[in-house]
Amino acid sequence: MLPSEAEEAGFWNAIAEAPEDEVPRLIFADWLEERNDPRGPLLRERCYWQNLNADCRDPVQMVLAVLDAWPTGPSKRLLQAAALVGAPLIPGLLERCRAAKPSPPRGGHADVGAAELLAALSSDCLLPILPDLIGLLPCHGETLAPVLAQLGAAAVAAVPALLEAGRSQSTSGEHLFGHLTVCRG
């Protein structure tokens, strides 16, 4: 066992011995965050840490499992964890976005958790999947349009494809273009 694995096992043992005591869990969260481990932010939230255990070492599967188990959408801590994981999350998040129901009219709740996590990723992660993001606008426009606006010229150059995607999916292309206009203005 590597020293960090032995230390980690010690933290998990301390948590298992006193599951109601937050101190070992929070100390472990600090230790993980010092190592840029995405489990750190998740261990800080009681609702998430119960989904984690000593076998949970794959950060991609961990973030996706927490996302799938939490119906109200991602919290600040889950967004932090997603940002730490970065590009390896993209395939799982795109799959969830494509499977999500279309957004309801303004003000309604939509299944946008995966889209929110995509929006938390860096521009470097998102530019290579620009066509995918454009394709998701009909269902996740309110969440992803600000991201496209932040991507700048690369997103603006994609507007013709965006309008065509909007027409082909019987969604108003002007409505989708409006998302970009509002976000840029």
Side-chain angles (χ1 to χ4, degrees), residues 153-180:
V156 171
V159 167
L162 167 65
L163 292 172
E164 184 58 37
R167 281 187 209 106
S168 68
Q169 295 189 14
S170 71
T171 301
S172 168
E174 289 73 26
H175 171 73
L176 295 174
F177 185 75
H179 282 302
L180 287 175

Side-chain angles (χ1 to χ4, degrees), residues 73-97:
S75 70
K76 179 181 173 186
R77 303 263 191 226
L78 187 55
L79 293 171
Q80 283 178 299
L84 286 171
V85 174
L89 270 175
I90 289 173
L93 293 176
L94 287 174
E95 177 184 326
R96 283 160 177 78
C97 285

Side-chain angles (χ1 to χ4, degrees), residues 41-49 63 66-67 70-83 112-114 116-117 120:
L42 297 181
L43 277 171
R44 295 192 179 288
E45 288 208 27
R46 180 176 298 277
C47 59
Y48 293 153
W49 78 266
V63 169
V66 170
L67 175 66
W70 204 248
T72 60
S75 70
K76 179 181 173 186
R77 303 263 191 226
L78 187 55
L79 293 171
Q80 283 178 299
V112 296
E116 289 180 38
L117 291 185

Side-chain angles (χ1 to χ4, degrees), residues 1-63:
M1 203 182 276
L2 297 172
S4 63
E5 289 178 352
E7 287 176 287
E8 189 171 317
F11 284 119
W12 284 115
N13 289 337
I15 291 168
E17 289 172 10
E20 296 304 314
D21 185 0
E22 290 190 352
V23 173
R25 181 173 51 83
L26 295 175
I27 292 171
F28 186 31
D30 287 341
W31 186 82
L32 290 169
E33 286 179 345
E34 289 170 4
R35 288 153 181 77
N36 290 324
D37 188 312
R39 294 175 295 170
L42 297 181
L43 277 171
R44 295 192 179 288
E45 288 208 27
R46 180 176 298 277
C47 59
Y48 293 153
W49 78 266
Q50 294 170 344
N51 293 311
L52 305 176
N53 59 51
D55 297 327
C56 185
R57 299 194 61 83
D58 178 4
V60 171
Q61 293 308 314
M62 173 205 57
V63 169

